[in-house]
Each structure stands twice: as C-alpha cells, then as structure tokens.
Amino acid sequence: LAVKDPTAVERANLLNMAKLSIKGLIESALSFGRTLDSDYPPLQQFFVVMEHCLKHGLKVRKSFLSYNKTIWGPLELVEKLYPEAEEIAASVRDLPGLKTPLGRARAWLRLALMQKKMADYLRCLIIQRDLLSEFYEYHALMMEEEGAVIVGLLVGLNVIDANLCVKGEDLDSQVGVIDFSVYLKSDDDIGGKERNVQIAAILDQKNYVEELNRQLNSTVSSLHARVDSLEKSNTKLIEELAIAKNNIIKLQEENHQLRSENTLILMKTQHHLEATKVDVEAELQTYKHSRQGLDEMYNEARRQLREEAQLRQDMENELVVQVSMKHEIELAMKLLEKDIHEKQDTLIGLRQQLDEVKAINVEMYQKLQVSEDAMKEKNEIISRLEDKTNQINATMKQLEQRLQQAEKAQMEAEAEDERLKQEYVNKSESLQNEFSQKEKQLLQLETDLKIEKEWRQTLEDDLQKEKETVSHLRTETQEIVNLKKEFLKLQEKNKRLKSICEDQEAALQELASKLSESKLKIEDIKEANKALQGQVWLKDKEATHCKLCEKEFSLSKRKHHCRNCGEIFCNACSDNELPLPSSPKPVRVCDSCHAILIQRCSSNVP
C-alpha cells in the first residue's frame, strides 16, 4: 500500500471538521431561532475549528528569546487587500483587554462573523498566495484547494445573526480544544428530516432576501452616480446658456448699432439727392437760356456718352467682382470669428485645467512634505528603538555576568543563589515581554515604512504625469498665441480691404452722379432737336425784308436766322447779346423766343 502524505491527511481532517462545525452551527442556530451570543457552544466550537484551520502549516518566526507562531499576521494583512476591513482591524487594536496576537486574531474572527463578511475577507486573502507564502508553508491548508472550499462553506454563515461581546471577554487565555461529542449522531437526529427540509427552505428564503438587498444597494449606488453626473451636466448646460444669452445681447446691440448707422446713411443720401436735384434744376435753367453750339455739344455729348457707357460697363463688371469679393471676405470673416470663439472657449477650458493642475501640484507637494516629515519622525523612532535594543543587550550581558558570579558563589550560599535565580527569572520574563512588544512595534513600523515608500512612489509618478500635462498645456497655449497673431494679421487685412471697398463705393457714387448729369444733358438735347424738327427755314429769295423793321436786306443789314422760331432778322434789329461760357464772344439772341441766332449768307452777298 502507498503511504499517504500526513499533511494531506491533516488537511482532509480539518476540512471535514469545518464542514461538520459549519453545518451543525447553521442547523442549531435556525432551530434556536434567536440571535446567537458568545456563550453558545456550537459557535465556540466553530471558532476553535477555524483557529486550527488557520494555524495549519503556519511558519515559525524566530524572535530574540523564543519562537513566535501566531495567526494574527495573515489576518492583519487583510486590511491592506480589502479596504472595508480597516474598521475591524482598528477596533481590534484599540481593545484594552487584549495583550497577545492570538487574542487579537480571535477578536477579529468574531467581529468578521458579526459583519457577515468573513468569507469575503478570507477569499481576498487566499487569492494573494504570494503574500501568504510569507506566513504559511507550501503544504498549508490556506495554500491548497481545501482553503478555497472552506471559504465557500463560510458563505452559508451569512444566514446567522450573531451578537458577540468582545470587549469584556478574556480571549488571550482561552484553550482551543475541539469537542468531538457534539458532532456524533444520535437517534433523535435520524428522525429530523422534515425539520431539516424546513430549515433549508428558510435558509433559501434568507439568502434570496440578502441577495436582493445587495442588488438593490448596487442599483442605489449606480443611481447616485447617475444623479451626480446629471447634476454636473446640468450645471454645464446652465453655464453654456448664460454664455449664449450674453452673445445674443451683444448681437442685438450690434444689430441696433448697424440699423442706426443705416438710417444715418439713408438721411445723408436723401440730403445729397436733394442737393443734386437743386443743382440739376439750376443747370436746366441755364441750359434753357444758352443754346449755342448745340451740334458740337451733341456730338461731344454723344461721344462722352459712349465713353461713359463703356466706362459704366467696366465699372459694373468691377462692381460685380468687388461685390463677390466682399461676400467672400464676409464669409471668411464669419468663419474666422467662429473659429476664434471656439479657440477662446478652448483657451478658457485650458486655463481652468491649468489652474486645477497647479492646485493639484501644490497639494501633492504639501502631501510630499508631510510624508517626508513623517518619514523623519519614524526614522527617529527607529533610531530610538535601536538605542533601546542596544541598552537591552548591554543589560543582558550584565545579567549573564551576574549569573556567572552567582554560579561561582553557589557553593558558598545556596539561599542567596535561590533568591538571585528568582530575581533573574522575573527580570528575564519582564525583559522578554518588553522585547516582544518592541519587536511588534518594529514590525509595525517596517510595514508603515513600506506603505509610505509605495505612497511616495505613487506621488512621484503622479507628479511626473502632471509635469507632462503642464508641458502639453504650454505647447497648446503657444499654438493659441500664434493663432492670435494670425487673427490680428487677418483683421488688419480686413481693415485694408474695407477701406479699399469704401473708396471704390465712393468712386462708383461719383460716376453715378456724372452719369445722371450726362443723361439730363442728353434729354435736353433731344428736346431741342424735337423742337427744331417742326420749323422750316425760309428760302433766300423769299426772305428779302427784315421781320421787325421791314427793310430790305443788304450788305450792311445781314440776315440772322432763329433756329427755334424760324424768323429772320437783320443785324440792326437783333442787338440783344448774351455771354456764354463755351464761346469767347457774346452771341445774338432772338427778340421773340430768346434763342441763339445763326448768321446766314444772303443772295446778294458774295
């Protein structure tokens, strides 16, 4: 037969005992029907079995005076892996009646059972087997599959309500002995199948209620997170609404300003049109009184009309080009304004992020200083502990010297020897207790120092990340400054284009006024031509006498013809003269219609 591994047999026996104790505790608690207290025997046996399971395969730690073997070390590690276990660990350390690590471990187990989280705590512990290897051997129950099975069995204890008083109980001096008589079957247990079925139904109902409670707690937490996110989004939307309202107010002010400017421009144009109308009327009156050289003026006006029509066509083409350019410039300006608003919003967000990063950097620097001060204080405490250990070593050497002296004087005085031995034993026990306490404090300080180092490393990593974000933000701010410069250049270019456009509009207005004047002149010329079309000059043979004086035309009395009314006068009768700006000499005017007279060659004049 193959020899079985004794450690495997121990693990199997402990697993079976754990199954029996957990099953018996659940059945007796449900039949008991009340909240369990610390004097309940199945509950005491359960804690004894759990203590034996946790002690299996535990490594022996050598101390200065003795060997230390306790389960408080791995249980104390749970608070670092499961943050919710910090509360019970702090409560156990603050209990005044506990002096040994075993007593603290027993108190921790009782508090975990009352919280109904013993299975969760131990599950976190057995997952981290690399950390458990510091406290347990490789063949220990907590390092093998049996530990996971026991953790699964502990989930069933969540149906039990326990109310244990840990503060006044003496947990240091309890003797952990398993009572096997509790787990032996009797005749009464055989006939209790119906009661077991009822107990199982009650257990299922309680498990369902607890699972439903956990799901409801998770949904409540998710709803709280959703409410927080909605509140944040609501505040952001309110801020955006305020910004949009401010922009609308600004746009309304600009619209009102543009409307006022438009009304002023309309008033100015009306005044200008009235002035031009007055000038046109004055020019019409002057043209009615001066009609010399109408043919030349008509030809010249016709030529100017063609030139101005060509010029007008060119100017209209240029105006169309300028209008299209103006529309393109306005569209580009709108796009630039939109881009600038977006850049300004991003710049504001980046500034806020930069302020937050600066505040976080200041806070991290303060925390770093606080941690450095704590490290200095802990280094001082460690140095003091080292001094105290050196003093204890010196006292131990002195005690050894005294012991040697006492052995030499043993033959002389036995009574004195017994007294000295008794004193030595008492002092050694007190020193051993003090040294064990100092060693515990030193272990605690070492763990705290490791935590502080890890925290400091995380702080340095966070600080490096913040530096990288600050450098990234600086590059983005430099890009924003460059964009500002480009925007200023575009604004200057826009101003230049606006000035050019205004100059071109003024030139167009001047050309329009000139064209209107030329149109009026052409209309006057057309009217004069229409008036002359109905008149017919008399023939030279028929016009022999003056219309006014009725004297015969001769060399001294030359003929003057009125092109407006068609009458013929002599030079003696047509003495009315009118100066014109277009001719250097004054012209003769008809006495009846006051039109310009044109001299004709008579038949008797060579």
Side-chain angles (χ1 to χ4, degrees):
L1 294 173
V3 179
K4 291 185 178 180
D5 187 7
T7 56
V9 174
E10 290 176 0
R11 290 197 302 271
N13 292 333
L14 287 172
L15 178 61
N16 293 325
M17 285 305 302
K19 288 180 181 178
L20 289 172
S21 63
I22 292 169
K23 182 179 179 183
L25 179 60
I26 293 171
E27 290 177 355
S28 60
L30 293 174
S31 63
F32 192 56
R34 290 181 301 182
T35 304
L36 304 180
D37 54 2
S38 58
D39 295 331
Y40 193 59
L43 187 62
Q44 292 179 355
Q45 287 298 310
F46 166 72
F47 286 126
V48 172
V49 172
M50 284 303 299
E51 186 177 341
H52 281 282
C53 291
L54 291 172
K55 281 183 178 179
H56 183 263
L58 193 67
K59 287 183 179 180
V60 178
R61 291 199 171 190
K62 294 182 181 180
S63 63
F64 188 73
L65 295 175
S66 64
Y67 294 97
N68 189 8
K69 186 176 182 180
T70 179
I71 60 175
W72 174 240
L75 294 179
E76 193 177 10
L77 188 64
V78 176
E79 63 176 332
K80 297 178 182 178
L81 303 174
Y82 202 84
E84 294 182 3
E86 294 178 356
E87 184 179 356
I88 63 169
S91 300
V92 168
R93 292 191 191 96
D94 295 336
L95 287 174
L98 299 178
K99 296 180 180 179
T100 61
L102 184 60
R104 294 191 185 94
R106 289 169 178 170
W108 189 91
L109 290 173
R110 283 157 175 78
L111 291 175
L113 181 64
M114 284 193 287
Q115 283 187 346
K116 296 184 179 181
K117 290 186 178 180
M118 184 184 290
D120 297 333
Y121 295 157
L122 293 179
R123 185 175 67 250
C124 293
L125 192 62
I126 64 172
I127 289 171
Q128 303 291 332
R129 294 192 177 181
D130 53 348
L131 297 176
L132 278 180
S133 61
E134 297 180 0
F135 301 97
Y136 288 100
E137 300 289 344
Y138 68 94
H139 57 79
L141 184 137
M142 295 298 290
M143 299 290 288
E144 297 292 336
E145 294 180 357
E146 286 84 355
V149 175
I150 290 173
V151 170
L153 293 172
L154 290 175
V155 177
L157 295 178
N158 293 334
V159 302
I160 297 173
D161 296 327
N163 187 7
L164 308 177
C165 183
V166 184
K167 188 174 182 181
E169 192 173 358
D170 186 12
L171 298 174
D172 294 328
S173 60
Q174 285 184 359
V175 179
V177 179
I178 300 173
D179 188 6
F180 293 99
S181 64
V182 179
Y183 308 108
L184 298 175
K185 288 186 177 180
S186 61
D187 295 334
D188 297 332
D189 296 331
I190 297 170
K193 291 183 179 180
E194 295 179 356
R195 187 180 64 184
N196 292 331
V197 172
Q198 294 176 357
I199 289 168
I202 293 167
L203 281 173
D204 293 335
Q205 290 176 0
K206 192 169 184 181
N207 289 328
Y208 172 73
V209 171
E210 288 184 352
E211 186 65 27
L212 184 62
N213 191 11
R214 287 180 183 176
Q215 291 179 0
L216 289 173
N217 288 327
S218 64
T219 54
V220 166
S221 62
S222 65
L223 287 173
H224 280 301
R226 190 174 179 183
V227 166
D228 293 334
S229 64
L230 288 173
E231 287 178 354
K232 291 179 181 178
S233 63
N234 192 10
T235 53
K236 288 182 180 178
L237 289 173
I238 289 168
E239 291 176 357
E240 291 177 356
L241 181 61
I243 293 167
K245 285 182 178 179
N246 293 326
N247 291 328
I248 288 166
I249 291 166
K250 289 179 182 178
L251 290 172
Q252 286 177 355
E253 291 177 354
E254 290 179 358
N255 191 6
H256 182 69
Q257 187 177 0
L258 290 171
R259 284 182 178 178
S260 61
E261 290 178 357
N262 193 6
T263 53
L264 290 172
I265 290 166
L266 286 172
M267 291 173 67
K268 287 180 181 179
T269 52
Q270 287 176 359
H271 288 301
H272 185 67
L273 286 172
E274 290 175 357
T276 52
K277 283 181 181 180
V278 172
D279 294 335
V280 167
E281 288 176 357
E283 288 181 358
L284 281 172
Q285 289 177 2
T286 55
Y287 278 121
K288 284 179 182 180
H289 293 291
S290 58
R291 297 292 182 100
Q292 186 185 6
L294 289 175
D295 293 332
E296 291 84 358
M297 289 174 67
Y298 177 72
N299 294 325
E300 188 177 357
R302 194 171 181 181
R303 183 178 57 79
Q304 289 179 358
L305 179 61
R306 290 175 182 174
E307 292 177 356
E308 287 177 357
Q310 186 65 32
L311 185 62
R312 182 184 178 184
Q313 187 67 32
D314 296 336
M315 292 304 293
E316 285 180 354
N317 295 327
E318 289 182 0
L319 181 61
V320 170
V321 173
Q322 292 294 329
V323 167
S324 63
M325 288 176 67
K326 186 178 180 181
H327 287 302
E328 290 177 357
I329 290 165
E330 288 178 354
L331 183 61
M333 284 300 295
K334 288 180 181 178
L335 293 173
L336 282 172
E337 286 177 356
K338 185 177 179 182
D339 194 7
I340 287 159
H341 286 302
E342 291 178 356
K343 296 292 183 181
Q344 285 178 354
D345 294 335
T346 53
L347 182 62
I348 290 165
L350 289 172
R351 284 178 180 171
Q352 291 177 357
Q353 291 179 3
L354 185 61
D355 295 333
E356 291 176 358
V357 168
K358 286 181 180 178
I360 291 167
N361 285 331
V362 171
E363 186 178 357
M364 297 295 283
Y365 181 70
Q366 291 176 357
K367 288 182 180 179
L368 186 61
Q369 287 183 347
V370 171
S371 63
E372 286 179 355
D373 296 334
M375 286 289 292
K376 289 179 181 178
E377 292 178 358
K378 289 178 181 178
N379 289 325
E380 291 178 357
I381 292 168
I382 290 168
S383 62
R384 291 174 186 171
L385 289 173
E386 288 178 354
D387 295 334
K388 286 183 180 180
T389 51
N390 292 325
Q391 290 176 3
I392 291 167
N393 290 325
T395 53
M396 288 297 295
K397 288 180 181 179
Q398 290 177 2
L399 289 172
E400 287 177 356
Q401 291 176 1
R402 289 179 183 177
L403 182 61
Q404 290 176 1
Q405 291 176 1
E407 286 177 354
K408 289 178 182 179
Q410 183 180 5
M411 299 301 293
E412 296 176 358
E414 291 180 357
E416 188 70 23
D417 187 23
E418 290 178 359
R419 186 174 63 81
L420 289 172
K421 281 182 180 180
Q422 190 67 31
E423 290 179 357
Y424 174 71
V425 169
N426 293 328
K427 287 183 180 179
S428 62
E429 287 178 355
S430 62
L431 288 171
Q432 187 176 359
N433 292 326
E434 288 180 0
F435 188 75
S436 63
Q437 290 178 0
K438 298 294 182 183
E439 190 175 8
K440 291 174 186 175
Q441 291 178 359
L442 184 61
L443 290 172
Q444 185 65 30
L445 289 171
E446 286 178 354
T447 55
D448 293 336
L449 185 61
K450 288 180 181 178
I451 293 167
E452 291 294 334
K453 286 181 179 179
E454 293 175 356
W455 187 51
R456 185 174 181 182
Q457 186 65 31
T458 54
L459 287 174
E460 288 178 354
D461 296 335
D462 293 335
L463 186 61
Q464 186 65 29
K465 290 179 182 178
E466 294 298 331
K467 286 181 179 178
E468 291 176 357
T469 53
V470 167
S471 62
H472 183 64
L473 290 172
R474 283 178 181 171
T475 55
E476 289 182 354
T477 50
Q478 187 65 33
E479 291 177 357
I480 290 166
V481 169
N482 295 327
L483 288 172
K484 274 188 176 180
K485 291 179 180 178
E486 291 179 358
F487 177 67
L488 291 172
K489 290 179 181 178
L490 289 172
Q491 279 185 344
E492 292 176 356
K493 189 175 181 181
N494 188 16
K495 287 179 181 178
R496 289 197 299 271
L497 291 172
K498 280 184 178 180
S499 62
I500 292 167
C501 186
E502 288 175 356
D503 294 337
Q504 289 177 355
E505 287 177 355
L508 287 172
Q509 288 178 358
E510 291 177 359
L511 287 171
S513 63
K514 288 182 180 180
L515 286 171
S516 64
E517 291 174 359
S518 62
K519 280 184 179 180
L520 291 171
K521 290 179 182 179
I522 290 164
E523 288 177 357
D524 292 336
I525 292 166
K526 286 179 180 179
E527 289 177 357
N529 287 328
K530 286 179 182 179
L532 290 172
Q533 284 176 2
Q535 301 293 331
V536 180
W537 283 12
L538 291 173
K539 295 180 180 180
D540 292 337
K541 293 180 180 180
E542 294 178 357
T544 57
H545 294 80
C546 180
K547 190 73 175 177
L548 293 176
C549 64
E550 295 181 355
K551 291 180 179 181
E552 188 179 358
F553 292 113
S554 62
L555 187 60
S556 60
K557 289 184 179 183
R558 293 183 298 274
K559 297 178 182 180
H560 287 82
H561 182 267
C562 179
R563 297 185 67 179
N564 190 15
C565 60
E567 299 293 336
I568 298 172
F569 304 97
C570 63
N571 56 356
C573 294
S574 59
D575 290 334
N576 295 325
E577 292 181 353
L578 180 68
L580 286 177
S582 59
S583 62
K585 295 180 180 181
V587 295
R588 296 180 183 272
V589 182
C590 180
D591 291 332
S592 59
C593 66
H594 299 286
I596 299 171
L597 296 176
I598 299 172
Q599 186 176 356
R600 288 183 63 182
C601 293
S602 60
S603 59
N604 54 0
V605 177

